[in-house]
């Protein structure tokens, strides 16, 4: 049986940990680590792939949260500031970039400028597992 993660890896463009612009047509993007420099490791056993789209209004943000498993993100529109609350690292992402969110590290995000941010997210996690955990106050 072919693992879903192998199928996903074959179908998705990849980039270095942080692609600076969309790759030319036909050129793959390879991502080898998360935004905080962690190696990317798939969960053992069966996986469920969840693809979602997120809109963040101009000037709005996402509250502190973390992901127990690798989450692949493509910025489709807008500019996004991601702050890793565990490491202090701050990154600005722009349309066309692909990244993998930090795993098990608290982070938040904020839409920059006057345009909303639109994201595609792809999670690979065991069936039934949570893919996002919100920080409790």
């Amino acid at each position: 049986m072919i693992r879903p993660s192998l199928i996903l890896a074959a179908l998705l463009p990849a980039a270095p940990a942080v692609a600076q612009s969309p790759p030319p047509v036909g050129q793959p993007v390879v991502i080898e680590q998360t935004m905080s420099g962690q190696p990317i490791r798939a969960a053992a056993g069966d996986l469920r792939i969840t693809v979602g789209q997120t809109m963040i209004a101009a000037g709005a943000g996402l509250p502190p949260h973390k992901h127990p498993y690798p989450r692949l993100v493509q910025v489709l529109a807008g500019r996004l500031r991601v702050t890793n609350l565990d490491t202090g690292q701050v990154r600005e992402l722009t349309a066309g970039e692909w990244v993998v969110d930090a795993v098990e590290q608290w982070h938040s995000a904020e839409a920059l400028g006057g345009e909303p941010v639109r994201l595609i997210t792809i999670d690979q996690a065991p069936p039934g597992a949570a893919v996002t955990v919100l920080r409790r106050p």
Side-chain angles (χ1 to χ4, degrees), residues 48 125-131:
R48 176 185 65 192
V131 295

Side-chain angles (χ1 to χ4, degrees), residues 7-8 18 28 40 49 57 59 63 70-71 73 76 79 101 103 106 109 113 127:
I7 294 170
L8 183 60
V18 285
I40 300 169
I49 297 173
R71 168 175 275 191
V73 178
L76 297 175
R79 291 178 29 234
D101 273 341
V103 176
W106 296 106

Side-chain angles (χ1 to χ4, degrees), residues 13-36:
V18 285
Q20 296 304 313
S21 61
V25 173
Q27 180 177 336
V29 181
V30 177
I31 303 174
E32 297 180 345
Q33 58 188 3
T34 69
M35 286 198 312
S36 66

